[in-house]
Amino acid sequence: EYIIKGNRLTSDLNRRFSDFFLLREILASNWPGLLIPMIPSKTYFTSSKSKSTIELRKRLLGNFCLKLTENQHLMESEEVKTFLNPSISSADLRIKLKSIPKPNYAQILEKYKVYFFRELNDFNNISLSKDDKDFLIKFADDWLELMYIKKETFYLYSLESRSIISN
């Protein structure tokens, strides 16, 4: 188990490596196209349980948490709030994270509209022409469509690869 400490936390938090892995997996699934910080590979560290290996893994997981804090949208996401909730035990965390509904296309688009335009304060009140606003909305919509195409392409490729290998 790894201890998470932070200014926003009411108490220290214990999380297992598999909890970090699941959080990253769900963030990547629910925030397609957004750069989610990497975590160290579990298999890389299984061969050695030395103190230096454990310290390296702690440092890398700490970097993951630090990079999450740099993204306000992820920090405010239901996934991260659930992960950082001290009242949820590590044993219950997997169930809670997996129970977060996967957003549909319209929900993801709405999330990204907020993500792209939050810093502009109120999208409807910024001083852009209607054409510029329409362009930005179309851009965000097209960008999401490309992310889905990319995801589907990788999925189809993985299916094809598996069928080639299994024959």
Side-chain angles (χ1 to χ4, degrees), residues 86-98:
S87 66
I88 300 174
S89 70
S90 190
D92 293 334
L93 184 64
R94 176 170 287 279
I95 295 165
K96 294 279 189 185
L97 283 174
K98 286 191 171 201

Side-chain angles (χ1 to χ4, degrees), residues 42-54 57:
K42 186 172 188 171
T43 55
Y44 177 77
F45 291 99
T46 55
S47 60
S48 173
K49 297 290 183 193
S50 71
K51 187 174 181 171
S52 62
T53 301
I54 292 169
R57 185 189 256 185

Side-chain angles (χ1 to χ4, degrees), residues 2-58:
Y2 299 90
I3 299 172
I4 303 172
K5 299 178 182 191
N7 296 337
R8 296 183 195 181
L9 297 175
T10 55
S11 63
D12 291 351
L13 195 57
N14 292 321
R15 293 290 181 241
R16 301 177 53 80
F17 179 82
S18 60
D19 299 335
F20 286 91
F21 183 84
L22 180 61
L23 172 64
R24 188 185 186 290
E25 188 176 73
I26 288 175
L27 285 172
S29 174
N30 291 355
W31 290 83
L34 188 66
L35 181 62
I36 307 298
M38 296 301 292
I39 61 170
S41 166
K42 186 172 188 171
T43 55
Y44 177 77
F45 291 99
T46 55
S47 60
S48 173
K49 297 290 183 193
S50 71
K51 187 174 181 171
S52 62
T53 301
I54 292 169
E55 288 304 314
L56 176 60
R57 185 189 256 185
K58 280 183 185 179

Side-chain angles (χ1 to χ4, degrees), residues 107-139:
Q107 292 167 326
I108 291 171
L109 179 59
E110 193 56 39
K111 247 196 303 195
Y112 280 113
K113 283 180 184 176
V114 171
Y115 180 80
F116 283 126
F117 302 116
R118 172 185 258 161
E119 287 74 22
L120 298 174
N121 205 356
D122 180 5
F123 180 65
N124 294 319
N125 294 326
I126 61 173
S127 58
L128 289 175
S129 70
K130 180 181 179 334
D131 288 342
D132 288 342
K133 287 181 185 179
D134 290 345
F135 168 78
L136 289 172
I137 290 171
K138 177 91 172 89
F139 173 80

Side-chain angles (χ1 to χ4, degrees), residues 52-103:
S52 62
T53 301
I54 292 169
E55 288 304 314
L56 176 60
R57 185 189 256 185
K58 280 183 185 179
R59 194 171 83 241
L60 293 172
L61 290 174
N63 287 342
F64 169 77
C65 291
L66 191 60
K67 289 191 184 300
L68 279 181
T69 65
E70 293 171 0
N71 187 314
Q72 180 182 0
H73 310 289
L74 289 179
M75 287 302 293
E76 293 174 0
S77 71
E78 186 177 355
E79 298 89 349
V80 172
K81 285 180 180 179
T82 300
F83 181 81
L84 295 176
N85 185 336
S87 66
I88 300 174
S89 70
S90 190
D92 293 334
L93 184 64
R94 176 170 287 279
I95 295 165
K96 294 279 189 185
L97 283 174
K98 286 191 171 201
S99 72
I100 296 171
K102 184 168 172 62

